[in-house]
Amino acid sequence: MQNILKKSFFILEKYKHRLPLMFLLFLTVSLIDVIGIGMIGPFVALLAHQGKIVDDYSIFLYLIGDADNETVIAFVGILLVTIFCAKGFIAFFVQKKILSLGYEIRTSIVNKLVNSYQEMRYEDIANKDISSMIVNANTHVGLFVDSLFVPALRMSIECIVVIGIFILMAYTNIILVLFISLLLGIVLLVYFKLIKVRLYRYGRVMSEKESDVIEEIKHIMGAFREIRLLGVEEFFRNEIKRDVIEFGKAGVITRSLHLVSRYLVEATLVIFIVIIVMYMLANSETVESIYSLLGVFAVGALRLVPSFSAIGLGIANIRTADFALNSLYNELTVINKKSEKKSPEKINDSKFSRLQLRNISYSYKSDKNRTILKKINLHLSQGDFIAISGKSGSGKSTLMDIMTGMLLPTEGELLINNKIVSHNSKKTMKWWQNKCAYIPQDVFLINSTIKSNIALGIRVADIDENRLELAINGANLTETLIQNNMTIDSHVGVGGSKLSGGQRQRVALARALYAGREIIFMDEATSALDKETEEEVMNHLESLKGQITIVFITHSSAAIKNCDQVIQIVDGQLYT
């Protein structure tokens, strides 16, 4: 439990300083709850009182004067109702505060994780399990908040209530309180000892199977054509079905184990009340004393059932969420270490004029013995139109990733405007990447309008219409839109399904121009186009020469003829 607390406080960060105020609110609710329960016993005893109440209990004479028994009972009843109504109102407010804080914490953690993922190096993100990242940012954060943080706060309220009720009972009969405490302690200790390991194990199974389902769905959506034409839909359906069944089995077991504590507490408390009644009857106790004791113990026991149930359920939920807690803790530990190394830097805003690769070599971390690029030296200037050609796997895309700063070379240096650019300098790297645009063969388009795809990442209300028009004209997109009866407010469909390959490339080009990028990297951008469309795109790109710098990876001889310089990569070496 100490380890869970340590990790939880680490994840909560600044929010842990708000916990004392929450506990003060919990204490207020719990005290009102205990006072209300404490008044039920005397109220029941008053109903069976034989003499005149104000004569035997002078406090009522002081509070309401010389009143008859009915008036006193009505007064106490109204006071009791007022206390419970006030408790209900305050409890609702506190529970709402707990939920609000929980969702605020969830938003903060998700934002931190997503921000960290976006700042990762390209090679690291390429080697990371995307499904696990999704589960971490969504499911595990949800489990931490809903199954650990919120239940822990509610447990705090219930623990204070339980302590208050036990003190109240002890004031009535301390021997019985010690007996019920021992009885409940033994029952719950055995229960949690038996289920502790199982809850952690099945919590891990649920997280892993959810990650597997996400991965399979990604396969189905990403390779829709291949799967359909190969006729292997059933295989993927069965894989998902198997994972969902395993998830369901683990879920049924964990949820069932969560419920057991309530039934154990109910049974234990009923046995306890029956034993009390039988014991008092056997000892010929007066009816008034039996009513008074039962008023406290029976009502207290009824209130203890939901309290112990909430505590038991909370502990079970925490144990189930322990795997998610460990996963989040490990991820955020790495993130915090990286954040400590950061320092704010002012970004340079000078224009791009020259790119130089000096003795660049590269080997992937997964295969350091294989050198993809060997001692590459290259320079290009603003306005150049350069083609990179070579066989598949020769390192063309790797070279482009190094030029854009996505990959860090194993050896050598990337220089922009005669200044070294590396991941050690966030300032220069950010400045350089703000100059670059990347257009792949499969252009990324969101399921929105052409306008929103061109001004990607900008709210519609904030889009600069003049700048947008210049970008559309610069990409030669206007004529294409007219020919297809489309406007900039037309939706492109999922993945740009309503646009042709050439239209998608023009939208991507317009996006780069709208963003004011000075150098465009195109990776096999025209390889999926027919010859006529490819020629149109290349002719338009040629018209941009001198205005922007273009680096173009291609196998096409038709595309190469438009370039100022053609670079060949053979066996990891560069030839011009």
Side-chain angles (χ1 to χ4, degrees):
M1 185 61 73
Q2 185 178 357
N3 195 37
I4 290 175
L5 283 173
K6 175 187 172 184
K7 291 178 179 178
S8 297
F9 282 135
F10 175 81
I11 292 172
L12 288 173
E13 292 185 314
K14 61 182 180 181
Y15 293 99
K16 64 187 176 186
H17 301 299
R18 292 167 62 175
L19 295 181
L21 175 61
M22 298 299 295
F23 281 114
L24 182 62
L25 293 173
F26 301 160
L27 185 61
T28 304
V29 174
S30 302
L31 286 175
I32 295 173
D33 207 357
V34 171
I35 291 170
I37 292 170
M39 288 185 63
I40 292 176
F43 179 71
V44 173
L46 289 176
L47 295 175
H49 193 75
Q50 299 300 316
K52 191 174 182 181
I53 296 174
V54 293
D55 292 339
D56 296 330
Y57 301 100
S58 57
I59 189 171
F60 293 114
L61 186 64
Y62 173 76
L63 291 173
I64 57 176
D66 188 15
D68 55 27
N69 286 4
E70 288 79 6
T71 304
V72 174
I73 291 170
F75 172 77
V76 175
I78 292 170
L79 185 60
L80 195 60
V81 169
T82 303
I83 289 173
F84 274 93
C85 287
K87 187 213 79 170
F89 176 79
I90 297 173
F92 170 78
F93 171 76
V94 171
Q95 293 291 344
K96 186 178 177 183
K97 289 290 288 183
I98 291 174
L99 292 173
S100 298
L101 181 59
Y103 281 108
E104 190 177 339
I105 291 169
R106 183 171 187 164
T107 302
S108 176
I109 297 173
V110 170
N111 184 62
K112 186 171 185 177
L113 285 171
V114 171
N115 184 60
S116 167
Y117 295 153
Q118 288 181 320
E119 291 186 352
M120 288 177 70
R121 292 183 181 179
Y122 176 71
E123 187 172 2
D124 293 335
I125 202 78
N127 293 325
K128 202 166 179 66
D129 184 351
I130 304 300
S131 298
S132 296
M133 292 168 66
I134 295 171
V135 169
N136 229 7
N138 184 41
T139 307
H140 286 173
V141 175
L143 281 172
F144 173 74
V145 173
D146 298 332
S147 296
L148 197 152
F149 176 73
V150 172
L153 292 183
R154 286 175 175 164
M155 281 170 56
S156 302
I157 297 176
E158 299 303 335
C159 284
I160 296 172
V161 170
V162 167
I163 292 170
I165 292 174
F166 274 144
I167 292 172
L168 190 64
M169 288 179 171
Y171 180 77
T172 307
N173 192 314
I174 192 169
I175 302 299
L176 290 177
V177 170
L178 293 175
F179 175 70
I180 186 61
S181 300
L182 180 63
L183 189 61
L184 282 171
I186 292 171
V187 169
L188 292 176
L189 183 64
V190 172
Y191 164 67
F192 287 117
K193 191 74 175 176
L194 292 174
I195 70 166
K196 174 171 74 170
V197 176
R198 298 182 72 189
L199 286 174
Y200 179 83
R201 182 170 70 245
Y202 288 116
R204 182 181 64 192
V205 169
M206 292 172 71
S207 292
E208 290 174 348
K209 293 305 172 185
E210 183 168 7
S211 178
D212 291 343
V213 169
I214 292 172
E215 187 68 24
E216 296 298 334
I217 292 174
K218 282 167 55 186
H219 290 160
I220 290 173
M221 297 297 104
F224 186 85
R225 292 187 185 90
E226 294 93 326
I227 291 172
R228 171 67 62 82
L229 296 176
L230 286 172
V232 291
E233 295 98 332
E234 188 176 358
F235 169 81
F236 287 95
R237 284 199 304 270
N238 290 337
E239 289 290 301
I240 291 176
K241 183 179 179 181
R242 184 192 65 193
D243 292 332
V244 171
I245 289 173
E246 291 297 317
F247 178 91
K249 287 179 179 177
V252 168
I253 293 172
T254 54
R255 297 296 184 271
S256 299
L257 291 174
H258 289 173
L259 296 172
V260 171
S261 62
R262 176 183 178 88
Y263 303 128
L264 284 175
V265 171
E266 282 181 352
T268 303
L269 290 174
V270 168
I271 292 170
F272 172 71
I273 295 297
V274 171
I275 290 174
I276 289 177
V277 173
M278 293 179 65
Y279 174 80
M280 295 184 76
L281 289 174
N283 286 275
S284 302
E285 297 282 349
T286 64
V287 174
E288 187 174 344
S289 64
I290 292 175
Y291 277 2
S292 180
L293 190 67
L294 282 180
V296 174
F297 276 82
V299 174
L302 287 174
R303 181 61 183 85
L304 285 175
V305 169
S307 291
F308 272 108
S309 296
I311 293 169
L313 182 61
I315 294 173
N317 274 325
I318 289 170
R319 192 60 190 170
T320 304
D322 197 13
F323 178 78
L325 173 67
N326 290 333
S327 179
L328 268 182
Y329 176 79
N330 293 335
E331 191 89 327
L332 290 171
T333 300
V334 174
I335 291 171
N336 282 3
K337 285 181 180 178
K338 290 180 179 178
S339 299
E340 289 171 4
K341 297 176 183 179
K342 290 183 181 179
S343 58
E345 296 178 297
K346 186 178 179 181
I347 297 176
N348 191 349
D349 197 31
S350 59
K351 296 287 185 179
F352 163 71
S353 61
R354 176 184 172 85
L355 179 149
Q356 183 180 359
L357 300 179
R358 183 189 292 167
N359 295 321
I360 292 289
S361 296
Y362 186 80
S363 300
Y364 283 104
K365 291 180 181 178
S366 56
D367 189 7
K368 292 185 177 180
N369 294 324
R370 180 175 171 237
T371 304
I372 306 296
L373 298 173
K374 305 170 186 175
K375 302 295 181 182
I376 299 291
N377 287 282
L378 171 69
H379 66 84
L380 59 91
S381 301
Q382 192 279 329
D384 285 349
F385 191 172
I386 294 178
I388 302 175
S389 185
K391 294 180 180 179
S392 296
S394 61
K396 302 185 299 298
S397 295
T398 301
L399 179 61
M400 182 174 284
D401 286 334
I402 290 174
M403 294 169 76
T404 57
M406 288 293 176
L407 291 179
L408 187 67
T410 309
E411 295 178 10
E413 297 169 332
L414 166 66
L415 292 89
I416 307 297
N417 296 354
N418 299 318
K419 293 181 180 180
I420 296 174
V421 173
S422 72
H423 289 283
N424 295 326
S425 174
K426 292 287 182 182
K427 179 178 70 172
T428 53
M429 181 60 72
K430 187 67 175 176
W431 168 81
W432 169 234
Q433 291 182 339
N434 281 345
K435 303 293 181 184
C436 302
Y438 174 72
I439 302 178
Q441 178 179 335
D442 296 318
V443 175
F444 168 71
L445 296 174
I446 59 174
N447 186 13
S448 186
T449 62
I450 293 173
K451 177 196 287 187
S452 295
N453 273 283
I454 293 173
L456 188 65
I458 299 173
R459 294 174 55 213
V460 175
D462 297 331
I463 294 175
D464 187 325
E465 296 294 336
N466 292 329
R467 191 171 173 182
L468 179 68
E469 186 177 354
L470 289 172
I472 291 172
N473 292 333
N476 198 24
L477 189 59
T478 307
E479 186 178 342
T480 303
L481 294 176
I482 294 172
Q483 288 174 353
N484 290 275
N485 295 319
M486 300 179 77
T487 68
I488 57 172
D489 293 313
S490 299
H491 276 254
V492 302
V494 178
S497 58
K498 296 181 180 180
L499 303 178
S500 67
Q503 290 167 346
R504 288 196 289 271
Q505 294 296 332
R506 293 182 191 280
V507 170
L509 180 57
R511 178 189 295 167
L513 296 175
Y514 181 87
R517 294 324 195 211
E518 298 177 39
I519 178 166
I520 299 177
F521 294 88
M522 305 181 73
D523 191 351
E524 301 283 7
T526 62
S527 61
L529 306 180
D530 59 70
K531 288 185 178 180
E532 184 179 347
T533 306
E534 180 185 37
E535 189 174 352
E536 288 179 7
V537 171
M538 293 308 301
N539 287 336
H540 184 65
L541 288 174
E542 189 175 13
S543 70
L544 296 174
K545 281 200 300 187
Q547 302 175 48
I548 57 175
T549 308
I550 299 173
V551 180
F552 196 88
I553 290 179
T554 183
H555 286 98
S556 171
S557 56
I560 288 175
K561 70 180 183 180
N562 294 279
C563 301
D564 297 328
Q565 183 180 3
V566 178
I567 298 167
Q568 292 281 341
I569 297 181
V570 180
D571 296 329
Q573 295 184 319
L574 186 149
Y575 298 90
T576 57

